[in-house]
Amino acid sequence: GISSTITSGMAAGSIFAGIFGESYHIKDSHSQLGVLLSLGIALLLIFFIGDPFKGLIISQMVLSIQLPFTVFLQVGLTSSRKVMGEYVNSRWSTFVLYTIAIIVSVLNIMLLFS
């Protein structure tokens, strides 16, 4: 839990700093704000969810909603010649990756509604 919390905070700091065109640095105010927002929301959730098992279920549901956005974005970026240059995915790899992404997304939607 501690490892993923730290990673989450650093990712939020990197994203928030990137919005302002800066690189992540913990002494930068935008990076600090991103870390504090991420960890602050997590702390609030800990205080308001009394049952840890229920909290785990809720967090996994949120992750399953977020996963398709991340997967499709990653496949799109690695399939872009503009972004990846000579290391771009082949058409076959792109097809396979999008197929897997669609399958995972459909399974997540089915799980969410079950």
Side-chain angles (χ1 to χ4, degrees):
I2 293 172
S3 174
S4 61
T5 303
I6 291 170
T7 304
S8 166
M10 289 177 68
S14 295
I15 292 168
F16 208 79
I19 290 171
F20 292 96
E22 302 169 353
S23 60
Y24 173 78
H25 192 279
I26 195 59
K27 292 185 179 182
D28 175 54
S29 63
H30 295 120
S31 297
Q32 288 176 345
L33 185 58
V35 170
L36 290 174
L37 284 172
S38 174
L39 298 180
I41 291 169
L43 188 61
L44 284 174
L45 288 174
I46 289 170
F47 285 129
F48 288 112
I49 297 176
D51 181 14
F53 183 73
K54 184 177 181 181
L56 181 62
I57 298 296
I58 291 171
S59 73
Q60 294 306 305
M61 286 175 56
V62 170
L63 285 174
S64 74
I65 293 168
Q66 173 269 337
L67 179 66
F69 295 106
T70 304
V71 170
F72 283 104
L73 178 64
Q74 290 295 323
V75 174
L77 287 173
T78 58
S79 300
S80 168
R81 184 162 300 283
K82 182 179 176 184
V83 174
M84 297 300 293
E86 67 180 283
Y87 302 106
V88 67
N89 290 338
S90 67
R91 288 183 185 232
W92 173 247
S93 294
T94 302
F95 172 75
V96 170
L97 291 170
Y98 274 124
T99 302
I100 292 170
I102 289 168
I103 291 169
V104 169
S105 297
V106 167
L107 290 172
N108 277 333
I109 290 168
M110 290 170 53
L111 182 62
L112 186 63
F113 287 113
S114 68

